[in-house]
Amino acid sequence: MFVIEIIIFLFFGLYISIYDYFTHLIRNSVLIKLTSTILVLVIIRLFTDPIFFGTISERIKVFLVVAVFYSWLTILSKFKLGAGDLKYALVISLFLVVSLPLAKIVLANQIAIIVAWSSAGLIAIGEWIFRRSQNAIPMAPALFLGSISALMTSFY
């Protein structure tokens, strides 16, 4: 089941990242499809994994902390962090929270945040050097790289 979740997440993440890189937009329809898929997988896990059911409250708490963090970043940036970027970051956190073992979700979310924002800084520097865009940087590739890093370290 976990392999299917990762394949679906990778497919959507690559599409969102490429589309955002060229258009600076993250389409709601794609985020809704990804979120719906994750929620269906959660429902399946609720009925097939008794351990997962017992850890729901802890998983919700971690997700809420990440949601507050990204909401706080959005407010501090005076809403320069796009709404699509915020929604995609929350979908990534939802995926990490429901897919990984309970012992790994806090560290995975921390790694995802650190790698994503470090990558976004590098993208911003690259955009500035090549004078492409001074107003907006594509955040989805950075967020996707952060989530991939979190997934890779959770197997370590």
Side-chain angles (χ1 to χ4, degrees):
M1 180 70 119
F2 185 64
V3 174
I4 294 170
E5 292 174 12
I6 290 177
I7 291 170
I8 291 169
F9 183 75
L10 290 175
F11 172 75
F12 276 101
L14 283 172
Y15 175 77
I16 291 169
S17 297
I18 292 168
Y19 191 81
D20 184 45
Y21 183 78
F22 289 110
T23 64
H24 293 274
L25 295 172
I26 299 175
R27 296 173 50 197
N28 283 336
S29 61
V30 177
L31 288 177
I32 290 170
K33 290 174 186 170
L34 177 57
T35 305
S36 300
T37 305
I38 292 170
L39 292 176
V40 166
L41 294 171
V42 167
I43 291 170
I44 292 169
R45 257 182 114 183
L46 282 172
F47 290 111
T48 59
D49 186 2
I51 295 171
F52 182 78
F53 184 76
T55 62
I56 289 292
S57 64
E58 289 85 5
R59 293 173 187 277
I60 291 172
K61 289 174 189 174
V62 172
F63 176 75
L64 290 176
V65 167
V66 173
V68 167
F69 172 76
Y70 272 108
S71 299
W72 185 251
L73 278 180
T74 302
I75 292 168
L76 286 177
S77 71
K78 298 179 183 167
F79 298 94
K80 290 185 180 178
L81 178 66
D85 298 327
L86 173 65
K87 290 182 269 187
Y88 186 45
L90 294 179
V91 170
I92 288 171
S93 178
L94 176 67
F95 174 76
L96 294 174
V97 165
V98 300
S99 297
L100 298 177
L102 185 63
K104 305 273 186 173
I105 60 175
V106 173
L107 180 62
N109 275 287
Q110 291 172 339
I111 289 170
I113 290 169
I114 291 168
V115 172
W117 286 94
S118 300
S119 302
L122 292 175
I123 291 170
I125 290 169
E127 294 279 323
W128 179 73
I129 289 172
F130 294 111
R131 307 264 188 238
R132 283 187 166 168
S133 171
Q134 298 298 320
N135 296 328
I137 62 166
M139 248 335 258
L143 291 168
F144 182 64
L145 182 62
S147 65
I148 296 302
S149 299
L151 283 173
M152 289 184 344
T153 58
S154 67
F155 293 114
Y156 171 59

